[in-house]
Amino acid sequence: MADFKKLLSYMLTLPIRVLTKTKLVLANYEKLDGNNLNKPLFYVVKHDSASDLVVLDIACRKAGLPSPFSRVKLGDQKIKRYLCLDKLHPVISKKRGTTDAMALMELALELHQQHPELDAQLVPCFINWGRSPGRHSAKEQPLFDDFSKPSWLKKLYIVTFRGRDNFISIDDPVSLRYTVDQHGYDSSIARKLLRVARFHFQRRQLMMSGPRLWHRDQFITALMASPVIKKAIADEAKSKNISREQARTTARTYLEEMVADYRGGWIRFLDRVLTWVWNKLYSGLHIQNGEAVRKLAQEGHEIIYMPCHRSHMDYLLLTYVIYYQGLVPPHIAAGVNLDFWPMGGVFRRAGAFFMRRSFRGNKLYSEIFREYLAQLIFRGHSIKFYPESGRSRTGRLLKPKTGMLAMVIQTLFRGQDRPVTIVPVYIGYEHVMEVKTYLRELSGAKKKKESFLHLFSVLKNLRHFGRGYVNFGTPILLNKLLNEQNPDWKKEIHPYSPPKPSWLPNFINQVSHNVMCNINQAAALNGVTMTAMALTVANKNTLFRQDLEQFLSLLTDLQTDNAIFTNLSLPPEANPTELLENALKMEKFTLDTDSPDIIRLPQESTVEMTYYRNNIIHLYMIPSVIAAVLIEQQAVDKKYLLKLIEQTAPLLANEYFFSYQPAQLISYVEQNLVAMKSHGLIEIDGENIIAVDHAKAPYMQLHLLSLLVQETLQRYAAVLLTLERSSDGLSRSELERTGQATARYLAKMHDIKGPEFTDKSILSQFVGLLREKELIVIKTEGRYVPTLELKDLAANIYSLIDGDIFHTIKKASQRSDK
């Protein structure tokens, strides 16, 4: 029978190669690498189907794994390499036969008992054709859309019409040696292994296709019947003195505006379109830590994706990446401004649901949106929304808005059974098509409303965008955090009116901050962002090629295996020369016409490049402070350096969204010092750290590194000096206003280009932290006065700022006083 299957597979290989296109995911491929490949491998598949085995054979050869049609030697026997759990359903008869999986499993376990040196690996191979979850209504389910119980006739249809949507996941191996040693080798163990494999395939199917869908009209009708929305309608009618029917009409209008119309056919269509788009626009997509998200989905977690927001491309790119990770695309929260013809309908069918920018003053809309979001989660749909709400115009993470997150957390207080887990996502680009638009808006231009004509104007200017980066950050397990916060929180669960305990707002704020930190922790380094960071701080935005390459090498080594940013991705290039060459291909930097060894940033592009710099500058705040101390003092005691870092790190971590434990910070500083020493920037003599002499070549690298934190320290000094100069103290609004005026004067006098330098919200965030850390004394009349501890911190910050610039800050603060 096996020989017949092999012969049939040879006959089918050519037509299947023509008809199919496979998306292959190797889950934790390293577990199948090295020593494991020298061990016998068995593939477990769901159906005894020649077409399934042929596409698996093609995928295995591509991945460098043994063919499923080859034999495995166990002891003195050669047996079949693949185990099929189920026969295909017959076309006419209702009863289907059984496979030889049980017999093969029993034989393999018995041979392991007889030969203690054997350690065969059982590898589950999930093979899927088409990813439609189906619909609840039988009328909505086409005959050939149910692939769960295929016959050979359905398989013919599937391969012919769904062959371009074939997906194979080769999953983690299971050691039969471990199984025999721990559990035995009788038939009950063999049966249990096969049962576990069946359950594994069921979970795989659910995580890829998601739950069955409701027709949109049915879903809206079900929502209108929800007790929560019924109560909201009654309250609306009473508060506005209108009839219930009028309130119901308004409620249904809101639902029609917001509810998605998710359709599998549109997802498959967009897959083809976006594959073409990415191949045209990008030279590659780099994805990191996808296996962690697949593991969460496999374990049944309700996944909430919370990415940073840099471009309209984010909507498409992240969904595309999730789809290619073998996961069901999420429902996406989108601003109602994107619901324009014809793209609104496309986005809606791809899973977008639309929301207004503000719910303030509209309780009915707020309750309806809250209930819709809760029902999506209860029904098992993954969700994606942007914690910053809007796109960042400066390249830095914005302070998160907590409304959507609060709604997600409150679903847990309504009795959500499945664990809810947040997955922060860092999205980065070597080219963001809206950057010039952002700069115009920051300069005071009015934001253009999204429309088809606006989209067309963007599309006609499409060009090579370099590479895109999608890094999944460390997941945040909400159920676990709630148990740590209040072990008895489940006692307060209510199905319709969840409680709002006094500790909940602080909990939500802490979770939102952790999300932003985990996004930044998963940052992606690339040639464009690193070169932009170097040139924006260099004198006249110009560097010699050799100096720039050495600095890029230093920036890379400072982030290699560091203790704080554990999930970041290093540049894919092998050396700084390649890194710079790929950056130059993006045509954002120019070679000097007289000397090609000089690389400069065009004057008109300086502000634009601050956007790319700001994507990664948070990674270099601590190293830059170390460099600034060494530039200022030449030689410093390590204990003093650590004390100063411990003083300034909380301020930098709060502004730039990164987190650390005290032990991690010390380890991180030590790693930075080792990297600096390896580049010749410092010498270490016991506890004494000595900077390289300024006459030596490596001093340039230390100087450039010290400049990265200067604008931040100058902004802090503008606020601190303003506070110190006021004998009677200042109100918070006065402090923020005068601090911003000082920063604006400083930016004008010293040509500081970054638009974030004078951002009032960043200044306000800094003042808020000073108050939270009790570094400010608040008088009874609400005026702020610095503490002695703050004055000590301020003196250390002032010492790290260039003398000319600090003189300007003092002059500017005097002007503000007047």
Side-chain angles (χ1 to χ4, degrees):
M1 185 67 179
D3 291 335
F4 170 75
K5 189 78 71 177
K6 190 172 183 179
L7 177 62
L8 180 60
S9 72
Y10 286 141
M11 296 170 61
L12 292 175
T13 297
L14 181 58
I16 284 180
R17 279 185 181 275
V18 173
L19 291 170
T20 65
K21 182 180 180 181
T22 297
K23 304 170 186 69
L24 175 63
V25 171
L26 294 167
N28 290 322
Y29 182 63
E30 66 275 5
K31 294 185 180 179
L32 294 172
D33 206 353
N35 292 331
N36 279 320
L37 289 181
N38 296 322
K39 298 175 182 178
L41 292 182
F42 285 93
Y43 301 119
V44 182
V45 298
K46 182 72 169 67
H47 293 118
D48 186 7
S49 162
S51 56
D52 284 3
L53 293 170
V54 169
V55 292
L56 177 61
D57 178 47
I58 295 170
C60 287
R61 292 176 187 276
K62 181 179 179 181
L65 298 172
S67 168
F69 296 114
S70 61
R71 293 270 175 166
V72 180
K73 186 175 182 180
L74 292 183
D76 55 356
Q77 295 193 43
K78 285 190 174 182
I79 60 178
K80 197 169 63 171
R81 191 180 291 276
Y82 62 87
L83 288 75
C84 304
L85 299 183
D86 297 321
K87 288 280 189 183
L88 293 177
H89 281 253
V91 177
I92 300 176
S93 171
K94 292 184 178 180
K95 187 177 181 181
R96 61 177 175 176
T98 58
T99 67
D100 57 359
M102 184 66 181
L104 284 172
M105 186 64 73
E106 288 177 334
L107 175 60
L109 292 175
E110 186 177 339
L111 289 171
H112 274 71
Q113 177 65 19
Q114 295 172 5
H115 302 276
E117 74 281 2
L118 287 179
D119 185 12
Q121 307 292 299
L122 207 61
V123 183
C125 299
F126 176 66
I127 304 169
N128 195 64
W129 303 82
R131 296 171 64 166
S132 173
R135 293 200 178 263
H136 277 283
S137 172
K139 294 180 181 179
E140 299 290 335
Q141 186 77 23
L143 176 63
F144 284 111
D145 265 13
D146 183 9
F147 300 156
S148 59
K149 299 177 180 178
S151 64
W152 68 264
L153 186 59
K154 275 190 178 181
K155 274 289 182 183
L156 178 62
Y157 170 87
I158 289 168
V159 172
T160 303
F161 296 100
R162 291 283 195 268
R164 310 300 289 178
D165 196 26
N166 174 242
F167 180 94
I168 297 177
S169 177
I170 299 177
D171 296 324
D172 293 346
V174 176
S175 169
L176 289 184
R177 165 55 51 205
Y178 177 84
T179 301
V180 169
D181 291 347
Q182 296 295 319
H183 304 290
Y185 64 99
D186 59 21
S187 59
S188 65
I189 300 301
R191 191 174 295 107
K192 184 176 181 179
L193 282 172
L194 297 181
R195 187 165 61 248
V196 169
R198 290 179 191 279
F199 181 71
H200 173 81
F201 289 139
Q202 289 173 1
R203 296 296 291 268
R204 270 288 181 191
Q205 185 65 51
L206 182 62
M207 66 181 272
M208 175 178 287
S209 301
R212 286 186 176 273
L213 299 170
W214 289 79
H215 191 281
R216 185 169 184 267
D217 288 341
Q218 291 177 319
F219 196 7
I220 291 174
T221 300
L223 286 167
M224 290 293 293
S226 160
V228 173
I229 292 182
K230 281 185 173 180
K231 183 178 183 303
I233 289 171
D235 291 345
E236 178 79 357
K238 184 177 180 180
S239 65
K240 294 190 174 179
N241 195 25
I242 59 176
S243 68
R244 287 207 177 190
E245 192 56 40
Q246 287 176 301
R248 279 180 58 83
T249 300
T250 303
R252 191 169 187 96
T253 301
Y254 290 158
L255 285 170
E256 292 284 356
E257 178 186 288
M258 70 178 65
V259 173
D261 188 17
Y262 190 102
R263 299 187 185 186
W266 278 86
I267 297 295
R268 292 192 295 273
F269 169 73
L270 288 175
D271 168 33
R272 287 155 178 75
V273 172
L274 291 179
T275 298
W276 178 84
V277 169
W278 303 140
N279 289 335
K280 285 287 184 182
L281 297 184
Y282 296 99
S283 57
L285 296 178
H286 292 256
I287 303 160
Q288 183 167 290
N289 208 24
E291 66 277 0
V293 187
R294 293 195 298 271
K295 187 173 185 294
L296 289 170
Q298 181 73 16
E299 293 172 351
H301 287 242
E302 172 67 30
I303 298 178
I304 310 296
Y305 299 96
M306 293 180 66
C308 60
H309 200 7
R310 308 209 190 278
S311 167
H312 280 317
M313 281 290 186
D314 299 345
Y315 295 104
L316 306 175
L317 179 60
L318 181 54
T319 299
Y320 180 83
V321 167
I322 291 169
Y323 183 82
Y324 269 78
Q325 291 296 305
L327 300 167
V328 59
H331 280 62
I332 308 163
V336 74
N337 58 303
L338 293 178
D339 190 14
F340 60 87
W341 185 91
M343 298 310 298
V346 174
F347 294 150
R348 197 184 293 277
R349 287 168 176 78
F353 58 95
F354 296 100
M355 58 186 292
R356 299 179 181 181
R357 289 297 181 192
S358 174
F359 300 176
R360 185 173 299 175
N362 194 336
K363 186 178 180 182
L364 177 62
Y365 185 91
S366 176
E367 289 297 319
I368 288 173
F369 186 86
R370 190 189 307 273
E371 179 65 9
Y372 174 57
L373 186 67
Q375 289 302 322
L376 287 176
I377 294 174
F378 290 150
R379 294 164 193 258
H381 298 287
S382 57
I383 307 292
K384 181 179 79 175
F385 65 88
Y386 299 97
E388 302 164 281
S389 183
R391 292 165 292 160
S392 170
R393 265 61 177 173
T394 63
R396 292 174 41 157
L397 294 187
L398 304 176
K399 186 176 180 181
K401 304 293 197 315
T402 59
M404 284 277 288
L405 178 61
M407 293 180 192
V408 169
I409 292 173
Q410 284 176 333
T411 62
L412 290 166
F413 285 91
R414 292 182 58 179
Q416 161 68 10
D417 293 330
R418 300 168 65 213
V420 177
T421 297
I422 294 170
V423 175
V425 188
Y426 176 94
I427 302 176
Y429 305 92
E430 290 181 329
H431 176 75
V432 175
M433 62 182 181
E434 300 104 321
V435 166
K436 293 186 185 301
T437 302
Y438 295 162
L439 298 180
R440 285 196 296 270
E441 291 175 10
L442 289 170
S443 299
K446 188 176 181 181
K447 180 180 179 294
K448 289 185 178 180
K449 185 178 180 181
E450 284 78 5
S451 66
F452 181 66
L453 291 176
H454 179 240
L455 176 67
F456 183 76
S457 68
V458 171
L459 290 176
K460 72 178 183 180
N461 293 319
L462 290 184
R463 43 160 285 181
H464 174 58
F465 286 177
R467 290 172 294 200
Y469 300 84
V470 177
N471 291 350
F472 295 97
T474 302
I476 297 173
L477 311 178
L478 284 181
N479 298 70
K480 180 182 177 181
L481 287 181
L482 280 170
N483 289 335
E484 292 172 356
Q485 172 71 33
N486 186 347
D488 297 326
W489 69 272
K490 290 185 178 179
K491 293 180 180 179
E492 302 183 65
I493 285 175
H494 190 282
Y496 304 124
S497 301
K500 296 179 181 177
S502 58
W503 51 265
L504 189 58
N506 286 336
F507 177 78
I508 293 169
N509 289 334
Q510 184 58 52
V511 171
S512 68
H513 182 77
N514 291 346
V515 169
M516 307 310 284
C517 291
N518 288 8
I519 290 173
N520 264 347
Q521 189 191 54
L525 292 175
N526 63 71
V528 170
T529 53
M530 295 168 75
T531 303
M533 189 164 66
L535 291 176
T536 52
V537 297
N539 184 34
K540 296 185 179 179
N541 307 124
T542 303
L543 284 170
F544 287 106
R545 179 188 286 267
Q546 183 180 8
D547 290 335
L548 181 53
E549 288 183 359
Q550 289 175 352
F551 192 56
L552 294 178
S553 177
L554 172 64
L555 294 177
T556 302
D557 290 347
L558 285 169
Q559 300 304 330
T560 302
D561 298 324
N562 71 61
I564 294 180
F565 301 102
T566 53
N567 284 332
L568 69 80
S569 60
L570 296 173
E573 289 83 3
N575 55 64
T577 301
E578 290 184 13
L579 188 64
L580 181 56
E581 286 300 324
N582 282 331
L584 292 174
K585 289 177 183 177
M586 295 301 298
E587 301 178 356
K588 296 181 182 296
F589 317 104
T590 60
L591 298 176
D592 193 283
T593 53
D594 298 326
S595 175
D597 287 336
I598 296 177
I599 298 171
R600 98 175 54 249
L601 189 59
Q603 185 68 26
E604 66 274 11
S605 300
T606 306
V607 180
E608 179 183 344
M609 288 301 102
T610 65
Y611 183 94
Y612 296 97
R613 173 196 71 183
N614 289 343
N615 285 188
I616 62 166
I617 198 169
H618 63 280
L619 301 172
Y620 295 97
M621 288 294 99
I622 300 299
S624 186
V625 171
I626 296 173
V629 173
L630 291 168
I631 289 286
E632 173 64 25
Q633 302 195 16
Q634 291 299 306
V636 64
D637 180 76
K638 187 183 290 187
K639 289 183 180 178
Y640 171 78
L641 176 63
L642 286 172
K643 179 183 176 182
L644 194 147
I645 295 295
E646 288 169 355
Q647 271 189 320
T648 55
L651 307 180
L652 298 169
N654 179 69
E655 177 175 339
Y656 287 95
F657 295 109
F658 62 87
S659 60
Y660 58 86
Q661 296 298 324
Q664 287 177 312
L665 184 62
I666 294 172
S667 178
Y668 186 49
V669 171
E670 294 283 358
Q671 290 165 349
N672 287 167
L673 294 175
V674 170
M676 291 179 190
K677 182 181 178 182
S678 70
H679 283 261
L681 276 58
I682 62 171
E683 293 179 5
I684 300 177
D685 181 13
E687 292 297 303
N688 202 32
I689 305 163
I690 306 162
V692 63
D693 188 89
H694 71 275
K696 294 183 179 180
Y699 182 84
M700 166 68 80
Q701 311 301 315
L702 189 65
H703 177 63
L704 282 174
L705 184 61
S706 72
L707 294 176
L708 299 178
V709 76
Q710 283 298 309
E711 289 184 9
T712 303
L713 297 179
Q714 292 160 19
R715 194 180 337 103
Y716 293 166
V719 174
L720 296 173
L721 200 58
T722 299
L723 186 61
E724 285 185 354
R725 294 182 66 87
S726 175
S727 56
D728 296 328
L730 294 168
S731 68
R732 178 163 184 169
S733 61
E734 289 173 335
L735 178 58
E736 291 175 2
R737 177 178 52 79
T738 53
Q740 186 182 29
T742 302
R744 284 175 175 166
Y745 183 77
L746 181 62
K748 182 179 180 180
M749 292 294 295
H750 290 275
D751 197 27
I752 297 173
K753 301 291 188 181
E756 72 280 357
F757 187 78
T758 58
D759 190 325
K760 185 178 179 181
S761 64
I762 294 176
L763 289 168
S764 178
Q765 189 175 338
F766 174 59
V767 172
L769 180 69
L770 296 179
R771 179 176 176 177
E772 180 185 329
K773 296 291 184 181
E774 297 182 348
L775 296 172
I776 291 175
V777 175
I778 306 175
K779 292 184 174 181
T780 53
E781 59 270 26
R783 303 182 75 79
Y784 289 1
V785 177
T787 63
L788 291 177
E789 186 181 355
L790 182 59
K791 289 180 179 180
D792 179 53
L793 170 62
N796 286 329
I797 289 175
Y798 300 156
S799 70
L800 300 180
I801 298 173
D802 179 85
D804 289 343
I805 295 179
F806 187 60
H807 178 72
T808 304
I809 296 174
K810 289 193 289 186
K811 288 291 185 183
S813 64
Q814 290 174 356
R815 288 168 56 92
S816 298
D817 288 344
K818 296 176 183 179

